[in-house]
């Protein structure tokens, strides 16, 4: 998805933008230091699973940060955004004090800005392409913080616009799953006038946004607000419904559904298949986070049990690993360790999560990998064996390949181990659709531009197409699929 | 939300409930299960579908009260709603004409065995069922099992009904008496372990339907993992039935105890709460 450079140029030369640019000299803009996100103090937040760490910018902070942006002639930041948000435009609206217009600008291309402002890896995307980084070797404009600010401001102002929808066209379409990919698709199809039903296997809508990402990073209330907006646009939600099992695609076609968007995610957790991995107290990050985030197992009134550990090891270096290790701390761990087989620079987690984890007291054992687990007489893990790793030549992913250092094993006392070494595509849908083209890895194969699968009325996107990816990419896929399903159904 | 339309006590601790679930009633097959949740603070837990009526749009569940969740479910009355119910989950039993099938069900495992017995009978097999429990009042669904079996042996640990002895005693009797082509065992893990050891001795292909701990039931969490033939499998999507001779039952027994302390604590709290409520004037 991209926006046309001509449009960007034209909008940049709007009167108010020119005026704003002339108001402050670039020299003065550059002299402003990047804002610091106000945070809940580490000592306090480690006791609260449900309190968001980042508090959000104040209006004054946001305005000043927005002033740093120089409204470049060639805004390279937009190229770094997977959904091509018109970044300078929304930031300049903030500088001018028109926050609601900033929020509308975001929503032109991003269905869930309050979510993305919190969870996107901005340092690898827009912010990495900011003029400050590329040319001035200075910290980038805090695009992510500003995105969150505008979206939160709009929500809290109570003057949130429900996007206009075209008159109903009576055509029924369905999504399989309710993660960001499906929600973005549903929003756009509702705008085009379709009768959209979102089918979700779990008892909650939101996919990873609900069951995976913890409350201290993404409050459920934010997701629920967006869901409420979709509801107001006429989107229907059906929980406890597994497409392909509860009813087949053919059943749904009989009920009149003309198009399907498969956004079923990469739900299947991977394990390392090393000795002792099935002992009690060793679980996938998906299980651990689902028990806490979806089932509320950390609160006393929940029926769902949770294992609390004193010495907790989390295997992996992604966002899932950071979320798990920080959850373990909040649930009372005395020692919480990240064990990652490469070095910190290769960690796929957002930089901010790593920073927060360190502030909270998480230990990082990088260049280490588990090889075996041991247990007490009841089968509860009590010790793990770890081997040190070195880095060799870059592999297919471009990251240097980790290699075992022979004879470097050492043991650690642990009573809880959370395995966060990746996920595989959820096989439920492909298994129920024999005609669907699927890759060797189980991802659904689509036409990259249209997101259309080998079955013409079925489109797909998000993690089921990409393997484990990001919220913003999933949403971008959903929007692209909506655009092309719309033209497909209109010309049919 | 799914409405309970009927409820029947098989014994003090074993309850049959009939629930409205029109889609599942239509799409379920023998061997499938559902995941349920009772109340907004409820836990997700699996129950095998013991039967269904596609016309009425209902399914039958049989629950034995062992902990908080099963007690909360069993406490619901006709007209009440189950907060969440999703399914059908798991692979269906592979049913075909094989000759003679020996079906062994222990305790509350007799309920999930019923649809499998029915399916094998309808596929033209000779079906011999051995149903076993600790005592007379825990033998459930005997009549229904008889309806779909050519012969039924009832075993109780204490001899209060049928014959005294374990399920394996009844099974061995059948095996020695006639040629058995396949066995199905469903029940407590420990019972399945010994049943599997027995049929292995006689080289009879055997399936066991596993009741591991589960959370989502869709392959998302791995709480349900078991080792089968040296490989880790997820019971909810790869099972629940596996080749009983390949299952690591000792590991499964250990894993079933994974949350024992936490569950006991929760159950004690629940019982305490119920008592407090009763004591209130
Ligand atoms: C703990 C964790 C932290 C993360 N942190 C970040 C982050 O900070 N930033 C970021 O950008 N990304 C992050 N990610 C990745 C991001 O969440 C995913 O890339 C994104 O959610 C994928 O969206 P999706 O719509 O494809 O699927 P999902 O969000 O996975 O949703 C799929 C949904 O489909 C349902 N489903 C599956 N099959 C069926 C069926 N047959 N019928 C009905 N429903 C079905 C599933 O139950 C699920 O709810 C994180 C992931 C995890 C697990
Ligand atoms: S119950 Fe979660 S994967 Fe099987």
């Amino acid at each position: 998805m991209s926006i046309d450079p001509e449009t960007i140029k034209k909008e940049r030369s709007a009167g108010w933008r020119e005026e704003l640019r002339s108001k402050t000299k670039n020299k003065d803009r550059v002299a402003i230091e990047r804002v610091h996100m106000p945070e809940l103090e580490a000592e306090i937040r480690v006791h609260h699973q449900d309190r968001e760490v980042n508090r959000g910018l104040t209006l004054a902070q946001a305005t000043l940060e927005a002033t740093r942006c120089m409204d470049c002639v060639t805004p390279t930041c937009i190229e770094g955004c997977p959904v091509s948000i018109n970044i300078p435009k929304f930031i300049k609206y903030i500088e001018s004090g028109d926050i609601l217009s900033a929020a509308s600008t975001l929503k032109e291309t991003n269905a869930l800005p309050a979510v993305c402002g919190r969870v996107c890896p901005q340092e690898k995307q827009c912010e990495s392409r900011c003029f400050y980084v590329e040319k001035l070797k200075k910290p980038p404009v805090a695009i992510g913080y500003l995105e969150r600010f505008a979206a939160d401001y709009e929500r809290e102002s109570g003057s949130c616009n429900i996007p206009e929808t075209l008159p109903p066209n009576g055509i029924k379409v369905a999504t399989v799953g309710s993660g960001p990919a499906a929600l973005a698709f549903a929003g756009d199809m509702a705008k085009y006038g379709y009768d959209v039903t979102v089918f979700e296997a779990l008892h909650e809508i939101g996919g990873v946004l609900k069951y995976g990402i913890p409350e201290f990073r993404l409050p459920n209330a934010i997701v629920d607000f967006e869901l409420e907006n979709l509801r107001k646009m006429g989107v229907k939600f059906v929980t406890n419904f597994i497409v392909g099992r509860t009813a087949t695609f053919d059943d749904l076609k009989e009920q009149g559904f003309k198009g399907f968007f498969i956004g079923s995610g990469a739900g299947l957790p991977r394990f390392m298949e090393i000795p002792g991995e099935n002992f009690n107290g060793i679980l996938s990050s998906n299980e651990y986070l689902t028990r806490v985030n979806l089932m509320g197992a950390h609160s006393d009134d929940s029926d769902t049990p949770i294992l609390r550990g004193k010495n907790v090891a989390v295997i992996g270096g992604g966002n899932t690993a950071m979320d798990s290790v920080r959850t373990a701390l909040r649930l009372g761990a005395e020692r919480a360790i990240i064990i990652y087989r490469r070095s910190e620079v290769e960690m796929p987690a957002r930089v901010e999560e790593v920073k927060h984890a360190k502030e909270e007291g998480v230990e990082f054992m990088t260049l280490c990998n588990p090889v075996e687990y041991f247990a007490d007489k009841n089968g509860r893990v009590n010790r793990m064996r770890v081997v040190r790793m070195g880095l060799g030549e870059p592999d297919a992913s471009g990251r240097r390949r980790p290699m075992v250092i022979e004879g470097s094993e050492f043991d650690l006392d642990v009573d809880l181990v959370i395995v966060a070494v990746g996920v595989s595509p959820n096989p439920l849908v492909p298994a129920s659709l024999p005609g669907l083209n699927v890759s060797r890895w189980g991802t659904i194969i689509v036409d990259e531009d249209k997101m259309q699968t080998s079955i013409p009325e079925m489109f797909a996107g998000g993690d089921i197409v990409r393997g484990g990816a990001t919220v913003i990419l999933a949403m971008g896929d959903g929007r692209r699929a909506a655009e092309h399903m719309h033209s497909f159904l209109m010309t049919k | 939300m799914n409405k309970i339309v009927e409820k029947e006590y098989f014994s003090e601790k074993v309850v049959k409930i009939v629930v409205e679930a029109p889609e599942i009633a239509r799409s379920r097959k023998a061997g499938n299960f559902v995941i349920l949740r009772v109340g907004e603070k409820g836990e997700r837990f699996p129950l095998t579908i013991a039967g269904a009526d596609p016309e009425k749009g209902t399914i039958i569940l049989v629950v034995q009260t062992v902990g908080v969740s099963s007690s909360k479910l069993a406490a619901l009355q006709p007209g009440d709603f189950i907060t969440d119910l999703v399914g059908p989950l798991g692979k269906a039993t592979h049913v075909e004409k094989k000759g003679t099938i020996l079906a062994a069900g222990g305790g509350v495992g007799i309920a999930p065995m019923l649809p499998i017995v029915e399916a094998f009978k309808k596929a033209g097999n000779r079906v011999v069922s051995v149903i076993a429990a600790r005592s007379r009042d825990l033998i459930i669904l005997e009549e229904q099992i008889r309806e779909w079996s050519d012969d039924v042996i009832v075993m109780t640990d204490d001899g209060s009904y049928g014959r005294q002895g374990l399920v394996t005693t009844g099974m061995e009797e059948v095996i020695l008496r006639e040629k058995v082509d396949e066995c199905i065992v469903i029940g407590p893990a420990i019972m399945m372990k010994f049943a599997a050891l027995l049929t292995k001795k006689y080289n009879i292909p055997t399936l066991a339907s596993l009741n591991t701990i589960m959370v989502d039931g869709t392959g998302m969490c791995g709480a349900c993992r078991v080792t089968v033939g040296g490989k880790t499998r997820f019971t909810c999507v790869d099972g629940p039935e596996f080749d009983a001779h390949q299952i690591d039952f000792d590991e499964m027994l250990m894993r079933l105890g994974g949350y024992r302390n936490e569950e006991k604590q929760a159950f004690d709290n629940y019982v305490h709460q119920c008592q407090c409520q009763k004591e209130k004037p």
Side-chain angles (χ1 to χ4, degrees), chain A residues 134-203:
Chain A
E134 292 202 327
K135 296 284 164 11
L136 307 178
K137 308 290 169 224
K138 283 185 170 216
V141 172
I143 302 170
Y145 295 169
L146 291 174
E147 177 181 28
R148 169 188 162 152
F149 173 78
D152 285 1
Y153 183 96
E154 184 195 37
R155 187 181 63 253
E156 285 157 13
S157 73
S159 53
C160 200
N161 292 331
I162 303 304
E164 272 179 42
T165 52
L166 293 176
N169 63 18
I171 303 174
K172 280 165 81 172
V173 296
T175 76
V176 181
S178 67
L183 296 179
F185 170 89
D188 278 8
M189 290 305 266
K191 280 186 220 162
Y192 298 141
Y194 288 84
D195 179 355
V196 189
T197 307
V198 171
F199 290 103
E200 168 57 50
L202 294 171
H203 61 265

Side-chain angles (χ1 to χ4, degrees), chain A residues 302-365:
Chain A
S302 168
D303 291 347
T304 303
I306 184 85
L307 294 176
R308 292 176 194 255
K310 279 204 168 61
N311 293 301
V312 184
V314 176
I315 320 303
N319 287 320
T320 320
M322 295 307 142
D323 286 343
S324 301
V325 80
R326 296 173 67 201
T327 298
L329 273 182
R330 284 160 173 75
L331 266 55
E334 287 164 12
R335 187 175 185 204
I337 315 166
I338 283 283
I339 297 181
Y340 180 55
R341 63 195 182 124
R342 304 184 202 242
S343 68
E344 198 176 314
V345 277
E346 284 93 11
M347 276 196 181
R350 297 177 76 226
V351 169
E352 190 178 41
E353 308 316 323
V354 176
K355 167 182 166 281
H356 283 162
K358 284 186 175 164
E359 289 166 0
E360 288 164 12
V362 171
E363 279 176 57
F364 282 71
M365 285 192 185

Side-chain angles (χ1 to χ4, degrees), chain A residues 240 245-246 268 278 284 286 303, chain B residues 72 84 87 90 219-221 255:
Chain A
N240 297 315
R245 302 300 305 252
T246 310
L268 220 60
N278 287 348
S284 75
N286 267 8
D303 291 347
Chain B
K72 281 190 175 172
D84 294 292
M220 196 185 85
C221 76
R255 286 186 59 80

Side-chain angles (χ1 to χ4, degrees), chain A residues 198-425:
Chain A
V198 171
F199 290 103
E200 168 57 50
L202 294 171
H203 61 265
E204 278 269 355
I205 298 292
V208 172
L209 305 182
K210 278 284 177 65
Y211 78 71
I213 304 180
E215 194 74 7
F216 58 77
R217 201 147 74 80
L218 176 65
N220 281 345
I222 307 255
V223 183
D224 287 336
F225 182 84
E226 302 294 346
L227 297 178
E228 201 41 50
N229 283 344
L230 288 174
R231 224 170 250 129
K232 286 184 191 149
M233 288 162 68
V235 175
K236 295 173 197 142
F237 294 98
V238 180
T239 51
N240 297 315
F241 196 107
I242 306 177
V243 179
R245 302 300 305 252
T246 310
T248 61
F249 283 91
D250 285 340
D251 293 337
L252 292 174
K253 278 185 208 162
E254 250 169 57
Q255 291 175 29
F257 287 97
K258 297 283 185 248
F260 296 87
F261 175 76
I262 305 166
S264 50
L268 220 60
R270 273 191 227 130
F271 286 91
M272 293 174 65
E273 288 168 39
I274 55 175
E277 206 174 24
N278 287 348
F279 283 131
N280 291 327
I282 304 177
L283 48 157
S284 75
S285 52
N286 267 8
E287 178 179 353
Y288 188 64
L289 293 172
T290 299
R291 283 179 185 271
V292 175
N293 301 329
L294 183 71
M295 307 306 297
H298 57 298
S299 63
D300 290 340
D301 58 358
S302 168
D303 291 347
T304 303
I306 184 85
L307 294 176
R308 292 176 194 255
K310 279 204 168 61
N311 293 301
V312 184
V314 176
I315 320 303
N319 287 320
T320 320
M322 295 307 142
D323 286 343
S324 301
V325 80
R326 296 173 67 201
T327 298
L329 273 182
R330 284 160 173 75
L331 266 55
E334 287 164 12
R335 187 175 185 204
I337 315 166
I338 283 283
I339 297 181
Y340 180 55
R341 63 195 182 124
R342 304 184 202 242
S343 68
E344 198 176 314
V345 277
E346 284 93 11
M347 276 196 181
R350 297 177 76 226
V351 169
E352 190 178 41
E353 308 316 323
V354 176
K355 167 182 166 281
H356 283 162
K358 284 186 175 164
E359 289 166 0
E360 288 164 12
V362 171
E363 279 176 57
F364 282 71
M365 285 192 185
T366 51
L367 290 167
C368 284
N369 212 22
V371 288
E372 186 169 1
Y373 298 101
F374 305 90
D376 64 17
K377 62 178 194 321
N378 298 321
R380 171 79 182 248
V381 66
N382 61 6
R383 193 158 52 86
M384 67 188 287
R385 184 153 299 158
V386 180
V387 70
R388 294 196 189 279
M389 310 289 284
L391 289 181
E393 295 295 307
D395 65 11
S397 74
R399 295 179 299 179
R400 292 175 63 194
R401 190 190 303 275
M403 291 179 319
V404 169
I405 301 177
E406 296 298 338
S408 66
E409 287 88 353
F410 63 99
D411 284 6
L412 275 176
D413 286 338
V414 286
D415 54 0
L416 189 65
V417 177
I418 295 150
V419 183
V421 296
V423 282
S424 304

Side-chain angles (χ1 to χ4, degrees), chain A residues 269, chain B residues 35 213-224 234-237:
Chain B
I35 294 257
I213 290 176
M214 291 190 188
V215 181
D216 57 297
T218 63
M220 196 185 85
C221 76
C224 61
F234 287 8
T235 304
C236 68
V237 285

